[in-house]
Amino acid sequence: MLSEIVFYVNDRKTVFSGNPLTRLIDVLREDLHLTGVKEGCGEGECGACSVIKDGKLVTSCIIPVGAVNGSHIYTIEGIRDTDKGKCLVDAFAEGGAVQCGFCIPGMVMAAYALLEENPTPSEEEIRKGISGNICRCTGYDLIVESIKLASEKGGELWAK
């Protein structure tokens, strides 16, 4: 069963012709070559494949591409060069929150979604905001501190 699914990835119109049950992560990585989206667990539990779909953080490994017809998807590649994305990437680097880098795109996406909703989160709110993302290298303290740093340094960016 082939379908034509039209959606937007990083503000670019995308047309996928194929099985609507194909996972979104596979379309992003294999068809669109957006390899910042990582596959960790394949079950929606680790957050490595996190993207923003219509303003909400989702795990792309459990979403069939047919479910994104008409949607707007943002990946790490779509936000990293924006002012907000640069703020986050710089804060993660400055805060020492990067080790192997596997989880970082998903963590940045989670932080982005959090700061979009709450520009000045408390430590508890940050921890809750990234709770769907697993990091096996740094622990979470440096990541939490880096998100707090991005909130402080980019205050006016997130307030918009």
Side-chain angles (χ1 to χ4, degrees), residues 28 37 66 69 71 83 88 91 95 106 113 115-116 118 126 137:
L28 294 172
V37 180
N69 194 43
S71 291
D83 289 341
L88 275 166
L115 294 175
E116 282 285 277
N118 181 357
I126 292 171
C137 295

Side-chain angles (χ1 to χ4, degrees), residues 66-147:
V68 301
N69 194 43
S71 291
H72 290 265
I73 306 293
Y74 291 94
T75 67
I76 191 73
E77 291 89 349
I79 69 157
R80 72 175 170 214
D81 293 328
T82 67
D83 289 341
K84 291 176 180 179
K86 287 177 189 174
C87 175
L88 275 166
V89 170
D90 290 347
F92 270 62
E94 185 177 331
V98 180
Q99 291 279 318
C100 80
F102 191 83
C103 74
I104 294 304
M107 286 286 188
V108 169
M109 296 305 289
Y112 185 94
L114 170 66
L115 294 175
E116 282 285 277
E117 282 189 30
N118 181 357
T120 57
S122 66
E123 179 178 335
E124 182 179 329
E125 290 167 326
I126 292 171
R127 288 185 183 279
K128 183 177 179 188
I130 63 169
S131 64
N133 296 70
I134 296 172
C135 175
R136 292 180 172 93
C137 295
T138 67
Y140 298 89
D141 292 338
L142 295 177
I143 292 169
V144 170
E145 290 171 20
S146 296
I147 295 169

Side-chain angles (χ1 to χ4, degrees), residues 12-54:
R12 297 180 80 175
K13 184 177 180 179
T14 301
V15 179
F16 174 80
S17 296
N19 186 337
L21 297 178
T22 302
R23 299 179 314 159
L24 177 60
I25 188 174
D26 296 327
V27 173
L28 294 172
R29 287 185 57 83
E30 296 169 18
D31 298 347
L32 302 178
H33 308 289
L34 297 170
T35 57
V37 180
K38 308 292 188 212
E39 181 165 9
C41 68
E43 298 176 356
E45 296 294 326
C46 75
C49 68
S50 295
V51 298
I52 295 174
K53 175 185 177 272
D54 297 327

